Amino acid sequence: MASSSTSVVVSNKEKENKNTKKVTLKSSDGESFEVDESVAMESQTIKHIIEDGCANNEIPLPNVTSGILSRVIEYCKKHKEAAGESEPSVTSYTSNSTTNPLTEWDTEFVKVDQNTLFDLILAANYLDIKGLLDLTCKTVADMMKGKTPQEIRETFHIKNDYTPEEEAEVRKENQWAFE
Amino acid sequence: MEVCIDFLNWLDPDISVQILMYLEDPSDLVHVSSVSRSWRDFVIANGLFKHLCLRMFPQLSRVARVMELNKCRAKKPVEVGSSYSMEWESLARDHRVYATLAQVCTSFIFEDCISEAISASSTDHYPDESIHNTLLPAYTWRASYWSSEGQSNPAVPETLIYKLKSEFCVITEINICPFQQHLSSLHIYSSNSVRFRMGHPKGPYDLGSRHLGDSLPCNADDTFIWTYTSPEFPMAQEGCLQNFRLPEPVLCIGGILQIELLGRVQRHEMDGLFYICMSYVQVVGCSLSPTFCVEILEPSGTFVLKNDMQGKSYTPPSLPKNEAQGNKYAVEFIDEYESGEEEDEAEVEYAL
């Protein structure tokens, strides 16, 4: 009797370990972040590293600073949680707010300064996290919508290298868009 | 302190393209092109206006190439800061033509686009009940309708084929009124459902050689190539004008539209056969001629998109006050400018 109850306890513990398997991510500035493996695997890049057996418990990410990495992890955690709560078949989020329950959270998440936003784009690209890349790219696009060329230049600090004559010519080419 | 980075050229081109592809309004893309030389070059090099138009109208995937007709005298395209080459000229031409197409698509004036009836799959009592009757507006209150031949099997479908106002039309919806024998009767010769196809004639097709609504139907599959098929819409057994709105506006390349009437519901009391009869048909959309025209390339079925740079933007006819059906849109249209001179923008509003 005693031995059977022991074996039950052991197998439960095994299950626990499987569920909370962790992996450590190391940022470019040497900071270590321990996260659930399932959360880390939101990144296709990390997923491949783990699947190829090259993890060794610590994965260096020389292209991502600690500040950005912590945000990325926050994003992955939140989206992994939400995916866990819904049907397994529903894994692709559209940007349609009526179907994406995280729209509000996402909107707050990208309310950051431009430098951070672009760093997030680079990180999402390097780590291959589609949802984050789509979200950040769309945010940049939204910052251009409805703006005149001058307003776009001011928003993103772009140098206008047209001469006044060239600029007038380009405007005339598509005059309809400037009315 | 904000860092001065020109992100468009600093990020991976794939990412920059992804960002710009989120811009759905053609004006936004024009503004982006006007920000700086390098931004404009980026938009041209990555064919972003073409992508924009393709998203609006997937039917454009069959464009083999674009052409500019009647190009303005001595109007040199703005090739600022870019190296001139055949490939670049081709990209720049794509940029100009698709930008014009995008512009035209922001100022639609919707109207009935049927030019003439071509044929029906079958006709009873030709010519009294020919397809020609479907073009006469419903409000005339005459018992004017097209009738198919009778069938004992209700599953036998019928088709009606029409020619549109031009070979390049955007179609948004189709309105059809089934024939009701008497106002008080329940004999309504609708079909069970409808479906629409659009396409072009196979090879040179002389519509003039056919009598309008000829009782001998042409074999549609031999004569036309269908490049778009709509979903199937249920049809109500009601003698009123029914609206069938396409899920997305569709570019009809080739100017031919077919209505498939699927499933018969009404028997005629005299012979007990099933008939389908329609009083009125209207195809709502906007012709993009003469600004644009197409040349179908056989046998590939691809086509050349031609932008006539001296073709004025479509000038709307004055709409009849008692237009039977049709959504009205308040739109503004802008005259196409010619050879360096700008014409005044005209703003016209059409209220219901």
Side-chain angles (χ1 to χ4, degrees), chain A residues 77-103:
Chain A
K77 266 193 190 149
K78 188 74 182 177
H79 279 250
K80 187 70 198 171
E81 264 169 38
E85 282 162 23
S86 61
E87 287 296 306
S89 53
V90 177
T91 48
S92 60
Y93 294 140
T94 61
S95 57
N96 184 346
S97 57
T98 58
T99 58
N100 182 357
L102 287 177
T103 304

Side-chain angles (χ1 to χ4, degrees), chain B residues 121-181:
Chain B
S121 45
S122 74
T123 305
D124 200 21
H125 299 133
Y126 183 85
D128 296 336
E129 295 174 0
S130 80
I131 186 181
H132 176 75
N133 294 335
T134 60
L135 299 183
L136 304 173
Y139 63 77
T140 57
W141 294 123
R142 297 189 279 137
S144 143
Y145 57 90
W146 158 79
S147 173
S148 70
E149 283 174 349
Q151 295 281 347
S152 46
N153 177 5
V156 176
E158 295 284 340
T159 56
L160 298 171
I161 304 181
Y162 296 91
K163 179 167 185 262
L164 301 178
K165 282 200 153 86
S166 80
E167 294 177 327
F168 205 60
C169 292
V170 173
I171 304 299
T172 53
E173 57 201 276
I174 294 115
N175 296 312
I176 307 177
C177 182
F179 174 62
Q180 181 167 5
Q181 186 130 30

Side-chain angles (χ1 to χ4, degrees), chain A residues 134 146-147 153 161 166 172, chain B residues 18 28 31 35 37 337:
Chain A
D134 290 349
K147 290 202 162 101
R153 285 181 204 125
D161 55 3
E166 286 166 348
K172 211 161 73 157
Chain B
Q18 182 174 352
D28 283 336
H31 293 165
V35 165
R37 279 186 206 169
Y337 62 89

Side-chain angles (χ1 to χ4, degrees), chain B residues 41-316:
Chain B
D41 286 355
F42 187 88
V43 169
I44 293 178
N46 289 283
L48 283 162
F49 265 112
K50 185 173 178 178
H51 281 305
L52 180 69
C53 290
L54 269 170
R55 285 203 303 284
M56 284 198 283
F57 301 112
Q59 299 83 43
L60 288 170
S61 61
R62 290 167 45 245
V63 172
R65 59 180 185 275
V66 303
M67 271 177 72
E68 288 169 309
L69 307 176
N70 300 321
K71 210 154 157 202
C72 302
R73 58 172 194 275
K75 183 169 185 279
K76 199 174 180 321
V78 182
E79 297 298 343
V80 211
S82 55
S83 58
Y84 190 81
S85 67
M86 288 291 282
E87 201 197 321
W88 184 257
E89 177 50 38
S90 165
L91 286 168
R93 186 169 44 241
D94 275 4
H95 172 83
R96 289 190 298 269
V97 171
Y98 285 109
T100 307
L101 181 58
Q103 173 220 340
V104 166
C105 293
T106 59
S107 54
F108 283 142
I109 295 157
F110 294 107
E111 53 152 14
D112 187 355
C113 279
I114 296 181
S115 152
E116 57 186 274
I118 297 179
S119 78
S121 45
S122 74
T123 305
D124 200 21
H125 299 133
Y126 183 85
D128 296 336
E129 295 174 0
S130 80
I131 186 181
H132 176 75
N133 294 335
T134 60
L135 299 183
L136 304 173
Y139 63 77
T140 57
W141 294 123
R142 297 189 279 137
S144 143
Y145 57 90
W146 158 79
S147 173
S148 70
E149 283 174 349
Q151 295 281 347
S152 46
N153 177 5
V156 176
E158 295 284 340
T159 56
L160 298 171
I161 304 181
Y162 296 91
K163 179 167 185 262
L164 301 178
K165 282 200 153 86
S166 80
E167 294 177 327
F168 205 60
C169 292
V170 173
I171 304 299
T172 53
E173 57 201 276
I174 294 115
N175 296 312
I176 307 177
C177 182
F179 174 62
Q180 181 167 5
Q181 186 130 30
H182 307 288
L183 283 178
S184 54
S185 91
L186 294 170
H187 288 179
I188 304 171
Y189 292 88
S190 61
S191 62
N192 226 338
S193 58
V194 295
R195 189 167 52 204
F196 309 103
R197 291 192 202 269
M198 299 192 215
H200 59 268
K202 203 187 261 188
Y205 178 73
D206 185 8
L207 287 173
S209 69
R210 295 186 47 82
H211 191 282
L212 187 67
D214 202 300
S215 60
L216 291 174
C218 54
N219 187 339
D221 289 336
D222 279 349
T223 321
F224 302 108
I225 293 183
W226 305 117
T227 53
Y228 167 82
T229 302
S230 79
E232 201 174 310
F233 299 86
M235 188 174 226
Q237 196 174 6
E238 286 167 21
C240 62
L241 195 61
Q242 298 180 32
N243 173 263
F244 302 97
R245 193 171 180 91
L246 299 176
E248 298 284 342
V250 174
L251 200 46
C252 175
I253 301 155
I256 307 291
L257 185 141
Q258 178 188 77
I259 302 178
E260 283 182 279
L261 301 159
L262 306 163
R264 300 160 189 256
V265 299
Q266 184 65 56
R267 273 192 218 268
H268 195 269
E269 52 201 354
M270 301 288 277
D271 57 13
L273 296 176
F274 287 98
Y275 289 81
I276 301 179
C277 311
M278 297 292 154
S279 296
Y280 184 57
V281 171
Q282 186 186 48
V283 173
V284 180
C286 181
S287 163
L288 300 184
S289 277
T291 313
F292 284 96
C293 57
V294 295
E295 182 193 326
I296 315 268
L297 302 171
E298 293 297 340
S300 62
T302 55
F303 64 99
V304 181
L305 177 62
K306 300 181 185 177
N307 176 15
D308 186 344
M309 298 177 80
Q310 276 176 19
K312 287 263 187 251
S313 281
Y314 180 71
T315 310

Side-chain angles (χ1 to χ4, degrees), chain A residues 49-61:
Chain A
I49 293 175
I50 293 176
E51 283 171 349
D52 289 347
C54 308
N56 286 336
N57 287 334
E58 190 169 272
I59 300 176
L61 300 171

Side-chain angles (χ1 to χ4, degrees), chain A residues 113-115 118-119 121-122 125 133-135 137-138 140-142 144-149 152-153 156-163 166-167 169-179, chain B residues 1-7 10-12 15 18-20 22-23 26-28 30-40 75-76 78 80 95-96 99 102-103 106 334 337 340 342 345:
Chain A
D113 63 83
Q114 260 186 53
N115 288 343
F118 286 115
D119 284 339
I121 289 180
L122 292 174
N125 186 45
L133 186 59
D134 290 349
L135 172 64
C137 284
K138 185 165 193 301
V140 174
D142 287 345
M144 293 191 275
K145 283 184 184 171
K147 290 202 162 101
T148 64
I152 296 176
R153 285 181 204 125
F156 296 103
H157 312 286
I158 310 294
K159 192 171 184 311
N160 179 8
D161 55 3
Y162 281 128
T163 66
E166 286 166 348
E167 195 175 340
E169 191 63 45
V170 170
R171 266 181 79 103
K172 211 161 73 157
E173 207 180 58
N174 280 303
Q175 187 63 36
W176 56 273
F178 291 96
E179 300 305 326
Chain B
M1 186 196 75
E2 295 273 357
V3 171
C4 292
I5 40 163
D6 185 342
F7 74 85
W10 175 69
L11 290 171
D12 266 3
I15 301 181
Q18 182 174 352
I19 291 174
L20 293 184
Y22 280 113
L23 298 175
S27 323
D28 283 336
V30 169
H31 293 165
V32 159
S33 309
S34 312
V35 165
S36 75
R37 279 186 206 169
S38 63
W39 278 44
R40 185 170 183 275
K75 183 169 185 279
K76 199 174 180 321
V78 182
V80 211
H95 172 83
R96 289 190 298 269
Q103 173 220 340
T106 59
I334 299 163
Y337 62 89
E342 286 169 71
E345 160 200 354

